[in-house]
Amino acid sequence: MAQVRKYLIAGNWKMNKTASDGADLIKGIIQEVGEQTEVGVAVCPPFTGLETAAEILEGVNNISLGAQNMHPEPEGAYTGEISAAMLRTLYVSFVILGHSERREYFGESDAFINQKVLAALESNLKPILCVGETLEQREDGHTLSVVSRQVNEGLKDVPKDKADQVVIAYEPIWAIGTGKTATPEMAQEVHGEIRSILVQLFGEATAKKIRILYGGSMKPANADELLAMKDIDGGLIGGASLDAKSFGKLVSSALAASRATA
Ligand code: PGA
């Protein structure tokens, strides 16, 4: 990909790791990532692990903290929910929004996800907006129309001057946690389509700055070829982010890809 964007490798821990297990993992990741600053790195523990993670990451400038969800309202009677301001006080900089597991198991709609994206940007959190098709949608030839709807509706009313804070993650649902990865060409086709939607929404210069991550069984064995594609600017990593060594290898792959295009 072009050097205008910095690669991002983000770990989505999902509902794994207690605060203390997470602390061990982060310490391992700090070791593996080392001093490099050419690739952006983020870890997204569950809410209960954020405070401990923030303490460990104090003074570590090349690893950011992310959350896995938030509610769009600033405060109020929303039992079990967390606001953007609460995340900000824990030094969180990214928030994963609209993950397919939230869409599927918690009934999140494009409109609700859009409210969260707008609220996150308002609070200076960088949303990682997840999009992706089911196996059935792919087999029926609907991949691009589904992804296009999710991107357009998820980014509705995003102001142009904040659009470069957004990160998109393309995660084909059939590839998540299944060991089945999209081929680099399949992923690039969708990433290219997302890039052209971003051009329509925000213009060429801004669209070029927005990172589009691939997610879905990305691991050290397949990362190099995915990260070499023109519009793949990093990865949102589930399973392989729970092991410091494999996560570190993915950061190394992104570093190599970044240097190859420098
Ligand atoms: P996976 O998960 O890497 O385990 O497939 C990716 C994700 O759901 O973000």
Side-chain angles (χ1 to χ4, degrees):
M1 65 145 198
Q3 269 310 291
V4 53
R5 302 179 292 273
K6 184 171 174 170
Y7 278 92
L8 175 65
I9 298 292
N12 173 12
W13 295 6
K14 309 194 179 187
M15 196 173 74
N16 294 292
K17 304 287 174 189
T18 60
S20 68
D21 290 345
D24 292 340
L25 177 55
I26 292 181
K27 286 175 192 158
I29 289 172
I30 292 171
Q31 292 290 321
E32 296 298 324
V33 169
E35 303 278 293
Q36 74 79 33
T37 53
E38 287 160 71
V39 170
V41 179
V43 290
C44 308
F47 292 134
T48 50
L50 287 174
E51 187 162 13
T52 309
E55 281 162 15
I56 298 171
L57 290 173
E58 203 184 332
V60 177
N61 297 321
N62 61 350
I63 302 177
S64 306
L65 194 53
Q68 299 173 21
N69 185 27
M70 56 166 250
H71 194 274
E73 291 300 324
E75 59 187 11
Y78 301 99
T79 302
E81 292 292 323
I82 301 269
S83 74
M86 293 169 187
L87 297 177
R88 291 294 295 158
T89 60
L90 294 173
Y91 307 99
V92 169
S93 16
F94 290 94
V95 59
I96 299 171
L97 296 175
H99 190 280
S100 60
E101 287 149 17
R102 300 233 37 108
R103 292 178 191 258
E104 185 182 348
Y105 307 139
F106 303 95
E108 292 195 8
S109 65
D110 286 315
F112 188 48
I113 294 161
N114 174 241
Q115 288 175 32
K116 298 185 188 205
V117 169
L118 298 176
L121 289 170
E122 194 63 37
S123 293
N124 292 322
L125 284 170
K126 297 185 180 77
I128 302 179
L129 171 66
C130 301
V131 299
E133 81 287 3
T134 62
L135 184 58
E136 197 185 351
Q137 289 164 336
R138 174 161 284 271
E139 285 173 346
D140 291 347
H142 296 149
T143 300
L144 297 182
S145 64
V146 167
V147 168
S148 158
R149 188 204 72 226
Q150 291 171 332
V151 172
N152 274 298
E153 295 190 14
L155 297 181
K156 195 162 171 279
D157 297 330
V158 165
K160 195 175 165 183
D161 65 342
K162 291 205 169 167
D164 63 357
Q165 299 300 298
V166 172
V167 177
I168 310 273
Y170 168 58
E171 302 201 305
I173 295 171
W174 48 270
I176 294 177
T178 57
K180 289 187 197 139
T181 328
T183 63
E185 293 72 24
M186 278 159 100
Q188 170 57 37
E189 183 194 13
V190 181
H191 282 234
E193 175 73 10
I194 295 173
R195 185 82 59 206
S196 55
I197 297 169
L198 297 174
V199 171
Q200 284 162 26
L201 290 174
F202 306 115
E204 184 99 35
T206 303
K208 265 192 195 155
K209 292 188 202 153
I210 300 177
R211 290 176 288 191
I212 309 174
L213 313 183
Y214 171 79
S217 298
M218 195 191 257
K219 47 184 183 275
N222 58 27
D224 289 347
E225 46 177 22
L226 285 161
L227 294 171
M229 302 312 282
K230 178 168 157 278
D231 290 294
I232 301 186
D233 308 317
L236 182 57
I237 322 295
S241 74
L242 297 173
D243 175 78
K245 285 237 177 314
S246 21
F247 191 66
K249 280 192 188 142
L250 294 172
V251 175
S252 301
S253 287
L255 195 56
S258 165
R259 287 179 179 165
T261 52

